[in-house]
Amino acid sequence: MKTILLTGCAGFIGSNFVPYFLEKYPHYRVVNLDLLTYAGNMENLKEVENEERHIFVKGNICNRELVEHLFETYDIEGVIHFAAESHVDNSIANPGVFVETNVNGTFTLLDVAYKHWMEGPFQYKEQYFVEDPSTGGTVPRFHHISTDEVYGTLGETGLFTEKTPYAPNSPYSASKASSDMIVRSYRHTYGMNTVITNCSNNYGPKQHDEKLIPTIIRNALAGNPIPIYGDGKNIRDWLYVLDHCRGIDLAYHEGKAGETYNIGGRNERDNLTIARTICKILDEILPIEKNEKFNPSSIIHHPSSYESLITFVKDRPGHDRRYAIDATKIENELGWRAEENFESGILKTVQWYLERYHD
Ligand code: NAD
């Protein structure tokens, strides 16, 4: 049985990753370190609450003593690091906690892992680049989950590749870029076995209410205005969360040490199109006249389509115009492909929210 440390897996992506990973790998046990900030939710982990191979620890990745204790107690053989402050709007209002968690937290994990693996009682140094026959990868590995936002913004054309220079524009993306650089330095300075994946916007079940897609669904169903920043023309590449989980799994097990892999869905959509697509799905599955919880008190006329609720609001300061990922490297080197297109993924996502809506 191998034990790996996962961080931040009471949040959106991590809580999708844990059940996927434990089901696929019966020889793995995971220690899930999560502070349960406002973004973490134990409800997200209900599927694995009785699973003995999932050990949940409430705590801060910045707490060095705790992280050292976990490495020693569980003989941690790998890390996949999800934990972060992740919402751009919050980073504009309160950047300090982003530096603390995303930069200092990543440093703490990396440094404890390095000391434990390279200098500690396990002396992995000798077998450092030895292939692990059970996984095809190398042990032990530190996998850092990052974002395409580190690359800054694009014009109407072009894609982010792994060679695109970093140009982060928000305190969130700057803190993620900084953490990527620290990971990179541990590879180049100490030879640590690191992998970084930079992904585009995820969507799917269990995402926090504050993010765009849950915000659209929640407000539409309640009959509230659906807020869309600026002119609604900001473009993101959308990645279904389980496609992302498969990409992380591949990069963790088969990615080359020291490499970065971009993971994107090849699904560019602007925010207005996203809102309209969701409204159309809701019109079909739960038309307004059948939605008993729809309360159009804030609007004058009872609309026939959810789309009438779309309302443009003042743009976010420094709002990047377009992100788009070139996923060729992970596709060619590791054989990964996004299985969902936006239409299939968003339908599954809306259905997931609707199942909970009726509870
Ligand atoms: P999330 O905000 O849903 O979850 C973050 C989790 O980290 C929460 O459970 C929270 O309690 C935990 N956490 C926060 N601070 C912590 C701390 N100091 N110590 C321990 N745990 C802490 O985030 P997510 O959307 O699941 O994102 C996961 C990772 O993927 C992040 O690193 C994020 O930057 C990256 N990412 C996310 C997206 C996306 O679209 N969601 C896109 C690109 C990259």
Side-chain angles (χ1 to χ4, degrees):
M1 184 71 67
K2 283 168 167 296
T3 306
I4 67 167
L5 176 66
L6 304 180
T7 65
C9 287
F12 166 46
I13 301 173
S15 66
N16 279 282
F17 185 76
V18 169
Y20 159 88
F21 193 77
L22 288 176
E23 193 184 334
K24 183 162 174 196
Y25 298 108
H27 65 286
Y28 270 113
R29 175 172 76 154
V30 303
V31 176
N32 176 0
L33 174 61
D34 194 301
L35 187 57
L36 294 180
T37 65
Y38 79 94
N41 184 351
M42 288 308 282
E43 273 292 304
N44 288 344
L45 292 164
K46 263 207 151 343
E47 288 152 272
V48 289
E49 67 183 354
N50 297 320
E51 172 55 75
E52 283 174 4
R53 291 179 298 124
H54 174 240
I55 299 162
F56 183 81
V57 179
K58 180 175 187 290
N60 196 329
I61 56 168
C62 302
N63 180 343
R64 187 174 183 109
E65 232 171 83
L66 171 64
V67 176
E68 282 171 349
H69 170 74
L70 295 178
F71 268 80
E72 275 158 30
T73 307
Y74 296 107
D75 185 12
I76 300 294
E77 288 190 69
V79 175
I80 307 182
H81 172 36
F82 295 87
E85 286 292 335
S86 71
H87 192 40
V88 178
D89 287 349
N90 293 347
S91 83
I92 295 167
N94 185 16
V97 68
F98 283 71
V99 174
E100 177 61 10
T101 291
N102 299 358
V103 184
N104 291 340
T106 302
F107 163 71
T108 302
L109 288 168
L110 200 56
D111 197 55
V112 171
Y114 169 68
K115 301 246 154 62
H116 186 79
W117 290 334
M118 307 286 271
E119 296 175 356
F122 303 100
Q123 291 292 323
Y124 279 112
K125 210 167 191 165
E126 293 300 307
Q127 51 176 9
Y128 203 59
F129 290 107
V130 177
E131 291 283 313
D132 175 353
S134 68
T135 63
T138 53
V139 286
R141 165 160 281 178
F142 189 102
H143 182 153
H144 177 58
I145 308 295
S146 191
T147 169
D148 61 356
E149 301 200 22
V150 297
Y151 297 121
T153 189
L154 288 166
E156 281 179 16
T157 57
L159 298 169
F160 296 135
T161 74
E162 290 78 1
K163 293 195 163 57
T164 304
Y166 276 24
N169 287 325
S170 71
Y172 164 66
S173 54
S175 68
K176 292 296 289 186
S178 308
S179 62
D180 294 6
M181 293 300 159
I182 295 170
V183 175
R184 178 188 155 90
S185 77
Y186 270 66
R187 168 70 190 162
H188 284 265
T189 308
Y190 307 115
M192 222 174 147
N193 179 357
T194 60
V195 157
I196 301 175
T197 47
N198 295 77
C199 67
S200 56
N201 275 34
N202 283 223
Y203 68 103
K206 305 183 189 175
Q207 192 164 25
H208 193 277
D209 268 358
E210 69 193 353
K211 300 285 168 48
L212 179 70
I213 288 177
T215 298
I216 294 170
I217 299 172
R218 185 180 70 252
N219 284 304
L221 288 172
N224 293 330
I226 299 170
I228 297 293
Y229 279 136
D231 60 3
K233 294 292 178 200
N234 298 74
I235 294 175
R236 301 291 180 264
D237 169 49
W238 291 89
L239 174 64
Y240 191 64
V241 65
L242 285 172
D243 278 332
H244 185 202
C245 291
R246 289 188 306 99
I248 294 168
D249 174 13
L250 268 178
Y252 178 75
H253 284 116
E254 292 173 30
K256 285 195 202 126
E259 292 291 316
T260 287
Y261 296 90
N262 282 354
I263 311 181
R266 296 194 186 276
N267 281 302
E268 283 184 53
R269 298 285 184 286
D270 66 45
N271 291 347
L272 186 57
T273 305
I274 304 263
R276 286 187 174 143
T277 307
I278 292 171
C279 289
K280 218 165 155 208
I281 294 172
L282 288 174
D283 284 340
E284 280 164 24
I285 305 184
L286 184 62
I288 286 174
E289 59 276 15
K290 295 204 175 132
N291 177 359
E292 286 167 6
K293 297 188 192 168
F294 189 87
N295 176 13
S297 53
S298 58
I299 48 178
I300 303 159
H301 300 295
H302 199 290
S304 59
S305 164
Y306 290 100
E307 202 177 311
S308 329
L309 299 168
I310 292 174
T311 308
F312 295 101
V313 298
K314 189 171 179 304
D315 208 354
R316 161 197 284 167
H319 201 172
D320 287 337
R321 196 65 176 166
R322 175 171 167 261
Y323 304 146
I325 279 214
D326 180 353
T328 305
K329 181 175 172 184
I330 192 168
E331 289 170 352
N332 288 352
E333 287 187 17
L334 305 183
W336 176 86
R337 289 276 180 292
E339 286 177 4
E340 302 289 346
N341 60 36
F342 187 71
E343 283 61 40
S344 63
I346 196 66
L347 181 60
K348 285 185 184 170
T349 306
V350 173
Q351 281 166 336
W352 186 87
Y353 281 95
L354 277 176
E355 277 161 28
R356 270 118 207 112
Y357 183 65
H358 294 300
D359 288 347

